[in-house]
Amino acid sequence: MHPHTFDIGEVQSKRAEAWLKEAGAIVTSRNAGRPTVVSAGQHQAGACRMGDDPKISVVNKYCQVHDVDNVFVIDSSVHVTNGGFNPALTIMAIAYFASEQLVHNWKGTGFRS
């Protein structure tokens, strides 16, 4: 653990708290302590929602970006809800499916259903 990592975390925590208060939050809470161990329990995901409607999602079921030809997002960002369990196998399954479709489409035969 580098001390600067915690410095950045504290700065960002203060910014996030200010944003929440500006948005109307009445009570906020920040953890200002410096843990002795970095947790490995986080699964970063959810920045590029998958769906059929380009108005409310970023990629289609093949992880292809709506309205942009030949751009695919094949990672955990299309998996927006991790639920209560480790999402690693689900993320790998989505990546396997989308990659297979990408290769199939690249060969000129189009996407498979």
Side-chain angles (χ1 to χ4, degrees):
M1 296 179 295
H2 193 281
H4 188 60
T5 302
F6 296 106
D7 295 339
I8 292 169
E10 288 176 23
V11 168
Q12 290 300 90
S13 176
K14 289 176 185 175
R15 285 181 180 168
E17 185 176 43
W19 295 333
L20 289 169
K21 287 182 178 179
E22 185 67 26
I26 297 169
V27 177
T28 61
S29 177
R30 289 188 308 112
N31 181 358
R34 291 182 180 231
T36 58
V37 177
V38 175
S39 168
Q42 298 81 23
H43 300 285
Q44 308 309 320
C48 298
R49 179 179 295 275
M50 181 189 294
D52 294 328
D53 186 351
K55 293 178 184 174
I56 59 171
S57 61
V58 178
V59 299
N60 63 21
K61 69 179 183 178
Y62 304 112
C63 296
Q64 181 180 28
V65 175
H66 294 297
D67 303 325
V68 181
D69 291 338
N70 213 24
V71 175
F72 294 79
V73 179
I74 301 177
D75 64 8
S76 64
S77 61
V78 302
H79 187 242
V80 297
T81 304
N82 285 331
F85 302 96
N86 187 321
L89 293 176
T90 302
I91 293 165
M92 287 190 288
I94 291 169
Y96 180 83
F97 172 79
S99 297
E100 182 179 42
Q101 300 300 325
L102 179 123
V103 169
H104 191 65
N105 190 52
W106 190 350
K107 292 179 179 177
T109 53
F111 289 114
R112 292 189 255 185
S113 294

